[in-house]
Amino acid sequence: MKKGLILVTSGYERFVHWLLAISCLLLCYTGLGMMFESLNFFGVIFGGLKGLKIAHNFIGLVFGVALGLAIKMWWKEAGVFVFPEDFEWFKTAGGYLWHVDKVAETGKYNPGQKMFFLTVAAFGLLMFVTGFFMWFQESFPLGNDLLHWLYPLHALGFVVIFAFFFVHLYLGTIGNPGTVQAMISGWVTKAWIRKQHPGWLKEMEREGTLIVYNKEEK
Ligand code: HEM
């Protein structure tokens, strides 16, 4: 590892992120396999459609736990907008959509990332609650009207999270080179953090919480 790299995520943060991400993607895979007849073959690795459904339900429980941990861990940094800097950032769309000379310096997560977090939190909860009642519908006398709403709401949650996921995947990898390291080893270059999270860098420097790798390269 190179001298001068900066640690931006803890092992716990990365564990929760990947538990959430992998369970979410497996739910998309197993859910799509059940939803569309043409994708029923997704069930082959789970021993057929019944296996696909059992896997979907239990992975849903893992997703629920991961989502709870993620909300607890990130709500302060990624769930609350801070004014005026977040508003200034919105006015320039963070410099992503057209050229701007200066993008407002925001905290650890920029408002675009906050929007992604809030979408995952809100629609993830919707998925968990609707999925839970679909699974245990015989134990809860919800009535046919309410029961019929669970299915379109569950599908809506999928469409929203899946769409946002592709934007997140692009921005977290090829859209912003060096970013994925934040969720793999946790160590990033100072140039990356200065470009992606300048306000946060200054905050850490001011508070003396910056963790810099000081050993010589092996
Ligand atoms: C497999 C593909 C994925 C990759 C490569 C990836 C990558 C990343 C990276 C690099 C970050 C840190 C960004 C930064 O500090 O600037 C991040 C944050 C985050 N990821 Fe992912 N992620 C993936 C999938 C997911 C999925 C499926 C979810 C949710 C269902 C998710 C939820 C989050 C959240 C909530 C954050 C923190 C706030 C934010 O950056 O919006 N990620 N991810």
Side-chain angles (χ1 to χ4, degrees):
M1 212 159 59
K2 277 199 184 127
K3 202 176 168 187
L5 290 181
I6 294 167
L7 189 64
V8 286
T9 52
S10 64
Y12 175 73
E13 207 169 341
R14 295 193 296 279
F15 168 75
V16 172
H17 174 264
W18 288 117
L19 193 67
L20 181 72
I22 292 167
S23 59
C24 176
L25 295 176
L26 284 173
L27 286 172
C28 293
Y29 175 85
T30 49
L32 281 170
M34 287 190 290
M35 200 168 179
F36 299 108
E37 222 176 308
S38 58
L39 299 179
N40 281 175
F41 71 92
F42 282 6
V44 171
I45 55 170
F46 295 101
L49 264 183
K50 203 161 174 240
L52 203 60
K53 175 146 184 50
I54 294 171
H56 190 75
N57 290 354
F58 283 95
I59 297 166
L61 293 180
V62 177
F63 175 77
V65 172
L67 185 68
L69 296 176
I71 292 175
K72 187 168 181 287
M73 174 174 82
W74 275 325
W75 75 269
K76 270 194 203 143
E77 291 163 340
V80 183
F81 290 100
V82 182
F83 294 95
E85 59 264 41
D86 280 358
F87 184 61
E88 291 302 318
W89 188 96
F90 270 123
K91 286 205 288 198
T92 60
Y96 285 121
L97 302 181
W98 60 88
H99 175 77
V100 281
D101 289 330
K102 193 165 167 29
V103 177
E105 290 184 2
T106 54
K108 178 168 180 183
Y109 291 109
N110 68 43
Q113 291 176 304
K114 288 179 183 178
M115 270 167 48
F116 177 66
F117 167 78
L118 289 169
T119 303
V120 169
F123 285 89
L125 285 173
L126 177 77
M127 297 301 273
F128 184 76
V129 172
T130 49
F132 180 84
F133 285 109
M134 281 152 79
W135 187 2
F136 295 109
Q137 53 185 268
E138 263 125 55
S139 317
F140 299 95
L142 291 180
N144 270 350
D145 280 351
L146 201 54
L147 198 61
H148 285 154
W149 271 105
L150 297 180
Y151 292 84
L153 284 175
H154 202 70
L156 172 76
F158 161 72
V159 171
V160 174
I161 291 182
F162 206 51
F164 268 73
F165 161 68
F166 285 104
V167 179
H168 179 67
L169 179 64
Y170 172 75
L171 292 176
T173 54
I174 50 174
N176 294 307
T179 302
V180 79
Q181 280 312 322
M183 280 303 167
I184 293 182
S185 65
W187 294 95
V188 298
T189 60
K190 198 164 187 177
W192 176 85
I193 185 168
R194 196 179 288 124
K195 181 164 181 273
Q196 298 297 327
H197 306 276
W200 185 38
L201 176 64
K202 284 183 189 157
E203 210 175 286
M204 288 193 290
E205 282 173 337
R206 211 175 34 245
E207 290 165 2
T209 50
L210 207 61
I211 302 175
V212 185
Y213 191 77
N214 269 329
K215 290 187 206 132
E216 285 304 330
E217 197 173 355
K218 281 187 195 151

